[in-house]
Amino acid sequence: MSMRTSRRSVLRAGVGALAVAVTGGCATGGGKKTPAPTVKTGAQAQVGGSITVWSWDVAAKALKRLAPAFEQQHPGVKVNVVDIGYDNAYDKITVGLKSGAGLPDVLQVEGPKMQSYIGTFPSGFYDLSTLAGPLKSQFNAAAWATGTDTAGKVYALPWDIGPCGVFYRIDIFQQAGVDPASIQTWDDYVAAGVQIKAKTGKKLLVMDPTGDSTFPMMLQQEGQGYFVDGKIAVDTPAALKAMGVLKELSDKGLVDFEKGWDALVAATKDGKVATTPTAVWWSGTLTDEMPELKGKFGAIPLPAFTAGGVRTSNNGGSLLNISAQSKNSATAWAFIQFCLANADNQVSMLKNEGIFPAFEPALSDPYITGPQDYYGGQTTFKTFADLAEDIAPVEYTGDYSKAGDLVTDATNSVLQGGKDPKSALDSAAQQIASATGRQIAQ
Amino acid sequence: MATATAAPQRRRSPTEPATKWGVPHFRIVHWAFAGPAAALFVFFFAYPLGASLYQSFTSDDGGVQTWAGLAQYRRMLHDPVFWKSLWNTGLLLVFQVPLMIGLALVLACVLNQSWLRFKGTWRIAFFLPSVTMLVAYAVVFRVLLKTDGGMVNQALGWFGVSPVDWLNNPVWARVALIGTITWRWTGYNAVILLAGLQAIPKEQYEAAAIDGAGAVTTFRKVVIPQLRPVILFCSITSTIGTLQLFDENFVLTKGGPDNATMTPVLYLYKVGFDQMDFSYASAIAWAVVLIIGVLSVIQFRFFGQSDRAASTARSERRRG
């Protein structure tokens, strides 16, 4: 689910997928824009029969857990949840959308990826505007934006969000004599890192150069994504500022470069780094993979760029949509609504699977506002629930994936190739322009 | 039965050519046999090939495919990542392929020695890497090459060498990739070269010995010319393999750091599946096809001609 943005490691279908890439799949026809289908409502809306859902990891676990309750509410309905695994989920979904066959009724997709899909395959999903529209006010605004197109058409219902903060090791901070509350800005963060390294020899954070999510996280904090008003915005002053902080962290030797998700988890478990600036879902990894470190972690909001500035961002977060190939859209919609637009079910997914709800009525649940055992009684989820309100909705566009790859290249060339941030980001903007035909924002 | 009432037919002698009789009928039979294969060819080979060629001349605009002429190819000319991937492939062709073929040749010669014991075991041992699963061995190398606690760095540590950041440093990542591919394919090439070595008639060695040729001269004047077609085969397959490199760098480095181990095929995968730009990915695929074709022709010309020259020389020598 959302928490595996950086883990695209072993791809068993690699060769098979390649064959399709080399041969271009089978989409040669077309040339006409077909509108997205809409879910039948009213008398025609028969909830019945069976539906299949594609999901992965903890998200699939959650849906499998909720499915029996839904089936009980609707006798005769059968929900078949398939865990397709994160590593080749998008290959499968992309091939299905491109070829127009082979997709199930309901698909899990992450926010930015959903935007890429809406841009590339606008008729690949059911248009949920009339059904989901009335629910808009109950969902987190930034998460909602990831499921709609620029014209406001709704293609997916938000599931979870990833408000960002900094998880830190209480013991390492104490040993270094750093007060976490004193970290207000990124400059404070860098200074804390220098002191921690001098006192304890530990680095400050882990970065995965093959799938960095720190740069976009910082960018969103400044209120922008890779695009602004449809124009490329990866070399704006805000972007330069964010890249500058990363370069400073790396130049001062505070970054531990690790490739892939497992390495990131291992580095944290081994105590190689003092902090992890990331989304709330990291909490699920901490409790699952390092229960022995109970009581050693705390969480603070992200450092701001200027004192008093925005102190959070969003990283990850999934949605559920109905693929246009579904023959049973009414049941599919009923299931999506049952799982996501329901406070009890959403809270149960945070409790059991660590999925942080985008459905706001769920956030006032005592489980979220109360103290957390793992964090030594701190109200960590409350911290993130409050931060979620401040997440700036940003523009993703259908070209997000292209831009993302090129920005990752730029980040690498700065942090590992020693390139100057300005020229790296300028050249990334140029490349995105030639890949997408979009203009560069001035 | 229909045949019972039909006019008496002239019996065909077994030696009479079939074409003289009932040509159309036989055409149908031909197609009945060739049909399934032909249909498979059309569906799974010709059609996708044509479709991808067509797609490389289009662009995808909000789900609508439109004719774009050479736009994707023009874009490729100005795409630094594509050029870098070609540059990386060039480095592999210049360093890795000759290194590997050279090693394989040495290995093959050693395996061919009459004094060597347990020949079969050695051959299997050297050949085995090439039958391991691509992804599995790449994962093993990733573990071996880990910066902290990887076995390679541990071993280097015994000699006082400080840990090398194998997979996160642009230069070392390339070295690691070269080492990985060499480990896997040297034995394979050695076994093929060994087969070539064993096809050289003993008389030629004897003749060389009688003419007073030493080991080096025999190797240069007898072994290398005789092995030329086999070396050609090895170098062409290695070249194609290098141009199509995907799994190793995908698992080891994802093409990083800073695109230092990016290859055209990994790049086309990223463009197609990460960025969902199938038109551009198809264009890259066809560029790779073109490059492989050109390089193969060059290699054939180069080695092929000297091969012909060598065989002419041989036949002349035989005549003389």
Side-chain angles (χ1 to χ4, degrees):
Chain A
M1 115 140 292
S2 49
M3 41 220 82
R4 301 285 156 101
T5 352
S6 54
R7 198 194 68 173
R8 297 220 182 123
S9 53
V10 186
L11 196 105
R12 265 154 296 151
V15 179
L18 251 172
V20 181
V22 172
T23 55
C26 32
T28 50
K32 239 187 276 162
K33 220 170 201 162
T34 44
T38 50
V39 182
K40 289 195 178 90
T41 49
Q44 292 166 293
Q46 285 292 340
V47 175
S50 69
I51 55 167
T52 303
V53 183
W54 276 6
S55 178
W56 54 81
D57 293 357
V58 287
K61 232 191 265 175
L63 296 180
K64 277 181 188 163
R65 187 172 54 76
L66 292 176
F70 178 74
E71 287 168 349
Q72 220 159 33
Q73 272 188 19
H74 303 276
V77 168
K78 177 90 191 81
V79 179
N80 178 23
V81 180
V82 183
D83 184 346
I84 54 171
Y86 186 81
D87 287 334
N88 48 26
Y90 288 126
D91 289 336
K92 280 188 181 165
I93 296 172
T94 307
V95 169
L97 284 166
K98 185 79 183 157
S99 62
L103 290 183
D105 302 275
V106 177
L107 292 172
Q108 176 195 350
V109 172
E110 285 158 299
K113 201 72 183 180
M114 190 64 213
Q115 287 289 304
S116 294
Y117 280 145
I118 293 174
T120 316
F121 306 103
S123 52
F125 308 96
Y126 271 86
D127 179 353
L128 304 176
S129 302
T130 40
L131 294 168
L135 299 169
K136 182 176 175 180
S137 62
Q138 299 187 62
F139 280 88
N140 178 279
W144 187 266
T146 60
T148 58
D149 70 3
T150 41
K153 260 191 194 172
V154 187
Y155 288 93
L157 203 62
W159 184 342
D160 66 318
I161 40 166
C164 294
V166 178
F167 289 88
Y168 66 95
R169 278 287 290 266
I170 297 170
D171 51 339
I172 297 178
F173 268 62
Q174 277 172 352
Q175 200 188 334
V178 177
D179 174 15
S182 72
I183 299 177
Q184 300 286 324
T185 65
W186 284 106
D187 289 338
D188 297 340
Y189 180 70
V190 174
V194 171
Q195 189 172 338
I196 289 168
K197 199 181 176 200
K199 292 266 171 68
T200 68
K202 309 269 187 194
K203 295 195 174 182
L204 188 59
L205 77 160
V206 185
M207 276 183 75
D208 176 6
T210 56
D212 167 60
S213 53
T214 333
F215 178 72
M217 180 180 79
M218 290 171 137
L219 204 54
Q220 183 170 17
Q221 204 185 353
E222 297 178 276
Q224 70 155 88
Y226 297 154
F227 300 95
V228 170
D229 298 328
K231 291 182 179 165
I232 299 154
V234 300
D235 56 350
T236 57
L240 268 173
K241 228 195 265 175
M243 193 60 87
V245 171
L246 291 181
K247 186 171 160 54
E248 202 183 346
L249 286 166
S250 156
D251 287 350
K252 294 197 162 145
L254 304 178
V255 182
D256 176 33
F257 290 103
E258 301 279 352
K259 212 167 294 309
W261 175 263
D262 297 336
L264 168 68
V265 174
T268 312
K269 199 176 159 87
D270 297 347
K272 279 163 80 175
V273 290
T275 71
T276 313
T278 191
V280 60
W281 42 253
W282 178 246
S283 175
T285 309
L286 294 180
T287 48
D288 271 9
E289 311 241 3
M290 32 204 117
E292 73 279 8
L293 294 177
K294 186 177 162 184
K296 293 206 168 158
F297 284 101
I300 52 169
L302 279 187
F305 276 91
T306 45
V310 176
R311 297 198 58 179
T312 193
S313 201
N314 180 63
N315 181 5
S318 286
L319 309 109
L320 286 179
N321 62 59
I322 307 176
S323 105
Q325 294 164 31
S326 169
K327 297 267 190 299
N328 197 355
S329 57
T331 311
W333 169 251
F335 182 65
I336 292 177
Q337 206 179 2
F338 172 80
C339 294
L340 306 186
N342 177 317
D344 290 343
N345 287 340
Q346 281 272 22
V347 171
S348 84
M349 287 194 274
L350 178 62
K351 260 184 210 165
N352 292 288
E353 287 91 16
I355 300 169
F356 200 82
F359 187 60
E360 291 185 329
L363 297 181
S364 48
D365 189 275
Y367 179 73
I368 291 180
T369 52
Q372 296 300 314
D373 224 20
Y374 187 83
Y375 298 96
Q378 289 186 34
T379 53
T380 309
F381 286 147
K382 176 86 172 79
T383 307
F384 283 103
D386 292 343
L387 286 174
E389 298 300 313
D390 298 335
I391 297 173
V394 294
E395 207 173 313
Y396 289 103
T397 81
D399 291 323
Y400 176 83
S401 302
K402 278 183 203 172
D405 266 5
L406 292 164
V407 170
T408 301
D409 286 351
T411 311
N412 281 333
S413 70
V414 170
L415 299 184
Q416 298 188 293
K419 208 168 167 186
D420 163 59
K422 172 102 178 95
S423 66
L425 290 173
D426 280 347
S427 109
Q430 290 292 344
Q431 286 179 58
I432 298 169
S434 82
T436 63
R438 286 176 189 268
Q439 284 182 304
I440 299 173
Q442 290 309 309
Chain B
M1 258 166 63
T3 44
T5 55
Q9 290 185 357
R10 189 168 66 94
R11 267 194 117 90
R12 191 152 58 87
S13 83
T15 49
E16 193 174 351
T19 43
K20 205 172 164 186
W21 246 78
V23 171
H25 173 72
F26 271 91
R27 274 212 188 121
I28 293 168
V29 171
H30 292 164
W31 278 110
F33 279 105
L40 286 175
F41 173 80
V42 169
F43 278 119
F44 292 108
F45 196 76
Y47 169 70
L49 218 59
S52 86
L53 185 61
Y54 171 79
Q55 182 148 318
S56 74
F57 293 110
T58 64
S59 86
D60 218 1
D61 185 19
V64 184
Q65 207 163 32
T66 49
W67 182 259
L70 288 170
Q72 304 293 358
Y73 291 93
R74 271 199 296 274
R75 179 178 155 195
M76 202 183 304
L77 291 180
H78 302 288
D79 182 348
V81 183
F82 177 71
W83 286 106
K84 191 154 190 186
S85 74
L86 281 188
W87 170 250
N88 295 333
T89 310
L91 287 178
L92 285 175
L93 286 177
V94 170
F95 289 107
Q96 194 267 333
V97 174
L99 170 80
M100 176 179 66
I101 306 255
L103 269 178
L105 198 56
V106 172
L107 214 61
C109 287
V110 173
L111 289 174
N112 197 32
Q113 294 305 312
S114 48
W115 47 260
L116 188 75
R117 303 186 63 183
F118 311 117
K119 267 189 193 155
T121 318
W122 286 114
R123 266 176 238 165
I124 289 171
F126 283 114
F127 189 74
L128 266 184
S130 66
V131 295
T132 51
M133 237 179 78
L134 276 162
V135 170
Y137 100 93
V139 169
V140 168
F141 267 83
R142 200 170 63 180
V143 175
L144 290 176
L145 292 170
K146 253 174 57 175
T147 309
D148 293 317
M151 271 170 72
V152 174
N153 276 347
Q154 278 183 4
L156 287 175
W158 297 331
F159 301 100
V161 181
S162 53
V164 176
D165 204 0
W166 289 108
L167 300 176
N168 294 315
N169 172 295
V171 175
W172 289 119
R174 286 187 179 130
V175 173
L177 187 61
I178 287 177
T180 312
I181 308 170
T182 308
W183 175 82
R184 183 162 204 254
W185 291 111
T186 303
Y188 172 84
N189 286 301
V191 168
I192 291 175
L193 288 166
L194 179 62
L197 277 177
Q198 291 177 342
I200 301 175
K202 280 216 168 61
E203 295 80 18
Q204 296 208 3
Y205 291 107
E206 285 161 10
I210 290 166
D211 288 349
V216 177
T217 318
T218 312
F219 185 74
R220 272 184 48 226
K221 302 266 167 146
V222 178
V223 176
I224 294 286
Q226 291 286 337
L227 269 187
R228 207 158 244 144
V230 187
I231 296 176
L232 172 68
F233 173 81
C234 288
S235 56
I236 287 185
T237 48
S238 305
T239 304
I240 294 175
T242 306
L243 284 159
Q244 295 179 332
L245 193 66
F246 175 83
D247 302 67
E248 285 90 346
N249 49 344
F250 181 80
V251 177
L252 278 178
T253 56
K254 285 275 180 65
D258 197 13
N259 287 326
T261 55
M262 182 62 77
T263 54
V265 180
L266 178 54
Y267 185 49
L268 91 81
Y269 166 79
K270 272 182 77 173
V271 168
F273 283 87
D274 277 3
Q275 308 178 10
M276 286 183 278
D277 192 340
F278 290 96
S279 303
Y280 188 39
S282 300
I284 297 172
W286 278 93
V288 173
V289 168
L290 199 72
I291 294 168
I292 290 178
V294 168
L295 282 184
S296 299
V297 166
I298 291 174
Q299 281 179 329
F300 259 110
R301 279 280 156 83
F302 181 66
F303 281 97
Q305 234 152 44
S306 16
D307 184 43
R308 261 198 300 285
S311 66
T312 323
R314 269 202 305 277
S315 51
E316 271 167 8
R317 224 180 296 132
R318 213 170 294 140
R319 250 178 266 130

